Amino acid sequence: FLFLDPQPEHLFFFCFGGVSVLTARRLLLLSRSCQVNDMALEDYIAVKPKVAVYVPHTAGRYQAKRFRKAQCPIAERLACSLMMHGRNNGKKLMANRIVKHTFDVINLLTDQNPIQILVDAVINSGPREDATRIGSAGVVRRQAVDVSPLRRVNQAIWLLTTGAREAAFRNIKTLPECLADELINAAKGSSNSYAIKKKDEIERVAKANR
């Protein structure tokens, strides 16, 4: 839903009732002003100016090679994670619309950069320690291990979208509203967030199995 005009400052996202709160031009500038406040995740959350895009739909081959998905814009990774559960597979335009409306809601509720809120939510929601199954001679036990930065980002995005999906199911609230609430709570580190609760649970189990 991009209205293309020769002057870049006149690029607008269109929604059903009129012009969306965030213009595409402003969204691009916002993505350039983002900070990743976790040194370990700097290379795995793609918000630097060279990966800034107008629309989170780059059609890149991010699964072709290991670690290439770390270069995928973080908003696009969120959109891809929303396309789950059979009936939603492949509906990327729908996922992009949900992400766009989510960013609008976040901007209205917090008056902050929505991409920065997403980055903070991903940083706070990825478990830093997990427990894996170690089996020898038929005896299986859990062993605590550190989690790699890429898996932290992957798991954070999955937990955020799963929490929003479950909150919106059989509920009067729309998915963009639920996703906005989830991202805002996770960015604050609030235990009202599904992702934060799950992360704390995973880390608690890992601590017990050190």
Side-chain angles (χ1 to χ4, degrees):
F1 293 76
L2 269 176
F3 173 72
L4 290 169
D5 195 59
Q7 294 160 316
E9 62 271 16
H10 295 155
L11 280 166
F12 292 107
F13 271 124
F14 271 82
C15 58
F16 297 112
V19 180
S20 138
V21 176
L22 289 169
T23 63
R25 174 77 172 167
R26 189 165 157 223
L27 203 63
L28 193 67
L29 294 173
L30 287 177
S31 70
R32 287 177 180 165
S33 63
C34 277
Q35 297 292 320
V36 179
N37 299 318
D38 189 325
M39 197 192 301
L41 302 181
E42 267 181 358
D43 296 333
Y44 297 92
I45 297 178
V47 288
K48 288 179 181 165
K50 67 175 184 180
V51 294
V53 289
Y54 283 116
V55 183
H57 197 318
T58 58
R61 296 175 60 236
Y62 297 111
Q63 301 300 324
K65 202 172 178 192
R66 193 179 179 200
F67 295 118
R68 191 176 288 172
K69 63 182 172 184
Q71 286 143 32
C72 180
I74 194 70
E76 183 169 2
R77 294 204 63 190
L78 181 72
C80 291
S81 186
L82 287 167
M83 296 192 294
M84 285 191 188
H85 284 267
R87 60 185 183 169
N88 302 320
N89 290 163
K91 298 182 182 178
K92 191 151 186 185
L93 295 180
M94 182 183 78
N96 283 349
R97 192 190 72 231
I98 290 166
V99 170
K100 175 167 70 74
H101 289 173
T102 300
F103 284 171
D104 279 346
V105 172
I106 290 172
N107 186 245
L108 289 168
L109 289 177
T110 64
D111 204 31
Q112 291 178 20
N113 177 352
I115 298 174
Q116 184 65 58
I117 296 278
L118 170 60
V119 169
D120 292 344
V122 169
I123 289 169
N124 291 343
S125 305
R128 291 157 295 189
E129 193 178 23
D130 203 347
T132 187
R133 286 159 57 95
I134 303 283
S136 59
V139 181
V140 177
R141 64 187 184 87
R142 308 291 297 271
Q143 172 65 45
V145 291
D146 293 333
V147 179
S148 73
L150 184 60
R151 179 162 170 79
R152 274 180 66 189
V153 174
N154 296 346
Q155 210 161 3
I157 293 168
W158 184 83
L159 288 170
L160 290 164
T161 52
T162 302
R165 196 179 292 114
E166 288 184 9
F169 189 62
R170 293 191 178 176
N171 192 351
I172 197 164
K173 282 179 83 171
T174 62
L175 184 52
E177 288 169 355
C178 291
L179 185 56
D181 287 345
E182 180 70 28
L183 290 174
I184 291 166
N185 286 330
K188 286 191 290 197
S190 165
S191 58
N192 292 335
S193 160
Y194 172 92
I196 296 288
K197 273 191 288 199
K198 284 287 181 187
K199 173 207 169 187
D200 290 343
E201 184 188 329
I202 289 166
E203 288 184 347
R204 194 168 57 248
V205 170
K207 190 174 181 181
N209 289 298
R210 278 180 185 165

